[in-house]
Amino acid sequence: MRSYFASVSVIMFAAAAKAFTVTPGPTTAIVRSGRPFVARFMSAGDDADRTVVDTCRDKISSALNTEDVKVTGAYDDPNGSHISVEVVSDMFEGKRAVQRQQLVYKAIWEEMQGAVHAVDSMVCKTPEEAK
């Protein structure tokens, strides 16, 4: 039984290590306890001041032809891996809730593959519904 838990622990550790493997992108090397530690900032593109939240907001705004987009990071963290989205667009006219969400996910799909882990909440309304 003991070896079972040891092997499960090794597998879980390997999965966690893989999840936190640094991929090419903006990085910073920090030395802690004599060992290098590489931290990946979750900002998109080459502009260091640009956050994932800004990128998602711009992409949704562009894809849905609207300026009425609010994207926030969980716990007010602009580089959070969890975001919330509120958007009002004419493109939602005649579409069901799932179809509206699919349009938003399509706009931020690239970020969903890396910096954004999840969308915690999404509110998609037409201009008429937003009144």
Side-chain angles (χ1 to χ4, degrees), residues 3-129:
S3 65
Y4 169 77
F5 288 117
S7 60
V8 169
S9 296
V10 168
I11 291 169
M12 290 175 64
F13 177 76
K18 183 177 180 181
F20 288 100
T21 300
V22 176
T23 56
T27 58
T28 298
I30 303 168
V31 176
R32 290 186 180 169
S33 306
R35 295 177 295 162
F37 173 77
V38 178
R40 180 172 180 237
F41 293 104
M42 291 198 295
S43 61
D46 296 330
D47 188 358
D49 294 333
R50 189 158 175 76
T51 66
V52 172
V53 170
D54 294 334
T55 302
C56 289
R57 182 183 313 110
D58 292 347
K59 285 189 173 188
I60 293 168
S61 180
S62 176
L64 299 177
N65 251 357
T66 184
E67 292 299 317
D68 197 351
V69 179
K70 181 179 177 186
V71 178
T72 55
Y75 313 110
D76 294 327
D77 177 11
N79 282 319
S81 62
H82 291 244
I83 61 171
S84 295
V85 177
E86 295 176 31
V87 60
V88 177
S89 173
D90 289 328
M91 292 183 73
F92 295 146
E93 292 287 344
K95 296 197 177 356
R96 296 185 314 267
V98 171
Q99 292 171 317
R100 295 174 182 192
Q101 292 171 0
Q102 288 172 337
L103 289 172
V104 174
Y105 279 120
K106 184 177 180 179
I108 60 171
W109 185 250
E110 192 174 293
E111 282 64 38
M112 294 292 296
Q113 304 310 303
V116 176
H117 170 72
V119 177
D120 289 343
S121 69
M122 188 183 306
V123 179
C124 303
K125 295 181 179 181
T126 64
E128 188 65 31
E129 294 169 340

